[in-house]
Amino acid sequence: MASSSFQAPKGTRDIFAPQSTRQRTLIDLFADTVERANYGQISTPIFEEIGVFLRLGESTDVVTKEMYDFEDKDGRHMALRPELTASVVRAFVQHRPTLPWKVWYEGPQFRYEKPQAGRYRQFTQVGIEALGTSDPELDVEVISLAADFYQRLGLRDVTLLLNSLGDPTCRPAYLEALETYFRDRIGDLSEQSAVTLETNPLRVLDSKRPQDQPIIDDAPLMADYLSPELTEHFGRVRSGLDQLEVSYELSPRLVRGLDYYTLTTFEFAANALTSSQNAVGGGGRYDGLAASLGGPDTPGIGFALGVDRILLACDAEGTFPEPTTAPDVFVIDVSGANVALSLTAELRTAGFTADRAWDNRSMKAQMKASDRSGAPYGLIIGEDEVAANSVTVRDLRGDTGQQLVARDDLISTLLGLLDPK
RNA sequence: GUGGUCGUAGCUCAGUCAGGUAGAGCACCGCGUUGUGGUCGCGGAUGUCGCGGGUUCAAAUCCCGUCGGUCACCCCA
């Protein structure tokens, strides 16, 4: 803790068992959920040419203020990925897989933000992206998969917020109306919102300042400006969600932070999280992104879910507990003959998880260690056992006592007592 | 990035208001005789009181700075 010693960089943390095990379990559950829908895993580099991310939008903090960018030794301007959609679409444009293309991912992302609980400079997201069709039923599939996943985790109090942001054919008229509306009231807006208005009127809707609320409440709605086709698309998304019994709230003010979103946009808020960092996931359509990255004009939709925040929400709801990690057996060796060394290796080869005590400690100390390990059985080897070429198998959890087992029968005896992992 | 708040043993915290050079619980280690843990009893180790500077005879305690956590805004997962 002294200033001369190192600590994890601001906004980052060390995660170890059992939390790390829990995180991996969560990711496994996510993989299972989306692989049932035929999404395949994609793994992209953790850094890209910065241009890949500049398409996220010039009015977003993620791009303008929060990028971890650097020059590599050849002078290329690179950046650690602040999100994964852009990387996935870059991979799509580069490889041109057959359509529709459905992928899922997990991994760390980086944003230079001021940290807070649930907001880190390195954070983990899981997500999916699907490119190649504008079918509104794809929107429904994507959204419902996220909802399914929360449900499988045991999260109950998650609200799905839904909106349509229009597209280049109808959004400009809305933006104009919105800008005019806010300009007429700029004197009543907060200073911050007045600045935001200059770069992106849409995002003023996102302001949480009390001063802005009455003005935002009466602002024009995108829904009134959607083209007939998009109104139809949005209607089919909603009826599809109804059909699958995925409940949602229409949220006409929902504005996503990244500029590439079009049409369907959504966000999941965990109500158990009391802080303002309660968005545990979000996503939407980005029909122009592939083209803007130099590829064919291909529609796409996806979402990203914040693993760190989801786990905080699980804690708040008291669900998805940490897995208990205990070995099957724990070896106590007081023989002075190094039996533990070969015995643990033999047990592991046979499929058991096995740990042991070290440093030739006393019987009492080794028994204590075995108890603490959580293992259901302790294997005791002393001089007597060595002489009899056997092992004492002791029940550490129940009351069945202990039995002397011939070394040759040990594995089969243990197989009768527990299932190897 | 702006503002608030907190920072004492591995963990949770008391002590800070009224300055006199560190405590509790849990965890850890050992002992309770001959090879047996979990309960109990006894004993033990561990902190330059986040870091740096200032005021003072004297600072965990007061002042300034800094780093980190956290809360609100901002932003977003």
Side-chain angles (χ1 to χ4, degrees):
Chain A
M1 285 224 210
S3 65
S4 58
S5 66
F6 295 111
Q7 55 185 309
K10 180 172 179 167
T12 70
R13 28 205 199 122
D14 302 308
I15 304 171
F16 39 88
Q19 289 80 12
S20 52
T21 315
R22 187 189 192 204
Q23 177 166 318
R24 201 177 66 227
T25 306
L26 180 146
I27 290 168
D28 288 347
L29 188 66
F30 180 77
D32 183 67
T33 302
V34 296
E35 285 183 348
R36 286 186 197 182
N38 203 29
Y39 288 73
Q41 186 173 8
I42 181 172
S43 177
T44 66
I46 242 165
F47 58 93
E48 300 268 0
E49 286 178 46
I50 196 167
V52 171
F53 303 121
L54 296 179
R55 311 306 157 118
L56 304 181
E58 314 216 322
S59 67
T60 67
D61 282 4
V62 169
V63 168
T64 56
K65 299 198 283 198
E66 298 177 354
M67 201 99 81
Y68 272 96
D69 63 321
F70 60 97
E71 265 188 23
D72 73 8
K73 292 183 190 301
D74 269 336
R76 302 181 190 91
H77 195 178
M78 314 301 281
L80 300 184
R81 61 190 187 192
E83 59 116 53
L84 263 159
T85 303
S87 295
V88 169
V89 175
R90 189 231 82 220
F92 169 80
V93 169
Q94 181 176 338
H95 302 288
R96 305 286 181 88
T98 51
L99 304 176
W101 191 54
K102 305 206 297 186
V103 297
W104 72 270
Y105 57 77
E106 59 87 13
Q109 284 139 81
F110 307 85
R111 293 180 196 171
Y112 195 90
E113 295 199 84
K114 182 154 176 178
Q116 234 167 278
R119 188 167 84 176
Y120 308 102
R121 289 185 172 181
Q122 176 176 336
F123 57 100
T124 301
Q125 288 186 334
V126 295
I128 64 177
E129 308 293 347
L131 286 98
T133 171
S134 305
D135 191 328
E137 288 193 10
L138 177 63
D139 303 32
V140 176
E141 171 174 294
V142 166
I143 294 170
S144 67
L145 283 172
D148 277 355
F149 174 59
Y150 291 126
Q151 198 148 41
R152 288 184 75 184
L153 282 173
L155 277 176
R156 290 289 166 267
D157 204 3
V158 174
T159 304
L160 166 58
L161 302 170
L162 191 66
N163 194 17
S164 177
L165 288 181
D167 72 2
T169 66
C170 54
R171 198 194 297 176
Y174 173 63
L175 288 181
E176 206 180 312
L178 199 60
E179 193 170 348
T180 303
Y181 171 84
F182 282 132
R183 274 204 197 295
D184 288 346
R185 292 156 184 80
I186 198 160
D188 296 325
L189 280 176
S190 65
E191 213 173 301
Q192 186 69 41
S193 290
V195 173
T196 306
L197 181 56
E198 295 304 318
T199 52
N200 188 343
L202 212 52
R203 194 155 298 114
V204 175
L205 294 173
D206 227 5
S207 167
K208 287 179 196 158
R209 292 164 187 274
Q211 180 187 351
D212 298 329
Q213 292 318 308
I215 303 171
I216 291 170
D217 287 342
D218 290 332
L221 299 177
M222 182 69 229
D224 296 329
Y225 290 80
L226 284 181
S227 67
E229 301 82 64
L230 295 195
T231 303
E232 156 79 10
H233 180 100
F234 196 44
R236 289 185 56 195
V237 172
R238 290 163 57 184
S239 63
L241 290 172
D242 293 340
Q243 196 178 327
L244 295 184
E245 296 179 345
V246 175
S247 56
Y248 58 87
E249 272 178 29
L250 286 181
S251 179
R253 323 264 176 238
L254 175 66
V255 176
R256 303 283 309 150
L258 304 168
D259 285 353
Y260 53 63
Y261 284 111
T262 56
L263 284 77
T264 312
T265 54
F266 53 94
E267 197 167 292
F268 292 90
N271 304 309
L273 292 179
T274 51
S275 78
S276 57
Q277 320 298 327
N278 71 339
V280 290
R285 279 208 165 266
Y286 42 84
D287 290 346
L289 187 57
S292 83
L293 285 169
D297 194 4
T298 310
I301 181 170
F303 63 68
L305 314 181
V307 169
D308 316 87
R309 282 187 195 176
I310 288 172
L311 289 174
L312 288 174
C314 286
D315 290 340
E317 283 200 26
T319 185
F320 195 63
E322 293 170 349
T324 51
T325 53
D328 294 321
V329 294
F330 194 95
V331 176
I332 297 126
D333 180 1
V334 288
S335 69
N338 301 332
V339 178
L341 194 61
S342 48
L343 183 57
T344 49
E346 188 185 324
L347 289 161
R348 291 163 189 164
T349 301
F352 297 100
T353 52
D355 201 357
R356 52 164 293 189
W358 306 96
D359 298 320
N360 258 320
R361 299 222 284 156
S362 70
M363 177 96 189
K364 187 185 176 98
Q366 293 197 42
M367 283 302 296
K368 256 186 118 147
S370 71
D371 182 55
R372 196 163 34 221
S373 76
Y377 292 96
L379 304 183
I380 303 170
I381 301 99
E383 288 172 17
D384 295 351
E385 282 81 359
V386 170
N389 195 29
S390 57
V391 174
T392 294
V393 177
R394 179 168 177 74
D395 181 3
L396 296 172
R397 298 289 153 244
D399 51 7
T400 59
Q402 59 191 45
Q403 53 178 316
L404 191 65
V405 176
R407 179 72 188 257
D408 290 343
D409 299 334
L410 179 61
I411 299 298
S412 60
T413 301
L414 290 175
L415 282 171
L417 292 170
L418 34 75
D419 296 322
K421 285 167 187 167

